[in-house]
Amino acid sequence: MPMNNTTVMTTNVEWWLILIDVLMIISTVSAVLLAIVFTIMVLMYRTCRTVSMMFSSNSCLAEILFGSTMANMAVFSFENDRQQKAYQDSLCTLRGYLGYVGCGLFFYSCALQTIYRYIVIVHPTRLSWQSARVQLIAISFMWLYCFLTMFPWLLTGDITYSVVDQICLVPLRLSVPIVYNMLVLYVIPMSMIIIIYMKLVHHMHKISTRATSAKTVFQIRRHFIVVCRIVIIVVILLILSIPYTVFNFMSFFTKPPKYHLRIAILVLDISQPLTMVIIFVLSQPVMDIIKKWRLLPMNTIHPTIT
């Protein structure tokens, strides 16, 4: 039900919806805090200032934008639910736009990491393609692309306020914006990752069947393991996105159940801190620093009192 930003309506809110709002706030805020900590660690320690860690930091910056937007959405829903009202503020449409942008940024950051590993493994002699400058240009283009591809929804009015779900997004139904978002945000980056992963598997098979130095094989396998880790993150995100995908396809044929957007967004919000924990665990330089921090108290020499 569309509303303008000057209309205020009273509404009956189920008590458990407020609990969902609180859970969404906790999940998104914790994810943003983890992303900020990761980014600060990369900036503070030289061992983290590598091209591969630059991609991980890019994913964290994407999470900061996406998580902050989703946290703002959750706070907005919480305030409306707490006051038993339906009200669209002036920033509602902008939050919906930034939510789509942040989601796209995270998936494309994973795709960009996969492309980089493909270049390192398959074209190791093309050092210019592997330089930090080239990768920084690619990252900048990715951000510009995500902002521009979602920009039409700010102008067309397709992002509308849902009274039931207390959120501003493109309504789930068979429409051009929904199909467009599925292609741009999910299908394209996921297809890139899957195709590159299959190509790397084929390349690994070729390498194993011909005479190659043990050092080269070790380096290739190390980079391939990183790609596998990226695929693991993407698979987890896709699994946690199943509710939204199911409701999306359901809307093509029938009306989705009540509170479908809240349920889908809740699962997506819960996935954010889980994803950040995985990024921490799979980033070896950061984990090495954390291990050093844990060992510091054990290695401290205490003075003897006589």
Side-chain angles (χ1 to χ4, degrees), residues 175-203:
S175 61
V176 173
I178 286 296
V179 176
Y180 176 87
N181 286 349
M182 288 180 61
L183 289 174
V184 174
L185 297 179
Y186 297 102
V187 176
I188 293 177
M190 292 305 101
S191 299
M192 293 169 62
I193 293 172
I194 293 171
I195 291 172
I196 292 174
Y197 176 77
M198 292 175 63
K199 283 182 172 291
L200 288 178
V201 170
H202 179 67
H203 181 75

Side-chain angles (χ1 to χ4, degrees), residues 51-122:
V51 176
S52 60
M53 290 301 295
M54 182 172 66
F55 285 114
S56 298
S57 301
N58 178 51
S59 297
C60 289
L61 292 176
E63 173 55 40
I64 292 173
L65 173 63
F66 184 51
S68 300
T69 302
M70 301 307 290
N72 199 294
M73 285 185 181
V75 171
F76 171 75
S77 299
F78 174 76
E79 286 298 321
N80 279 2
D81 289 341
R82 185 178 61 85
Q83 299 176 30
Q84 301 280 317
K85 69 177 183 180
Y87 168 67
Q88 176 185 353
D89 66 358
S90 58
L91 298 177
C92 196
T93 302
L94 179 62
R95 284 194 294 267
Y97 164 70
L98 292 177
Y100 288 121
V101 171
C103 180
L105 283 171
F106 195 86
F107 279 107
Y108 279 101
S109 67
C110 293
L112 208 57
Q113 289 188 65
T114 309
I115 293 173
Y116 170 73
R117 296 295 173 177
Y118 176 82
I119 293 173
V120 173
I121 294 174
V122 181

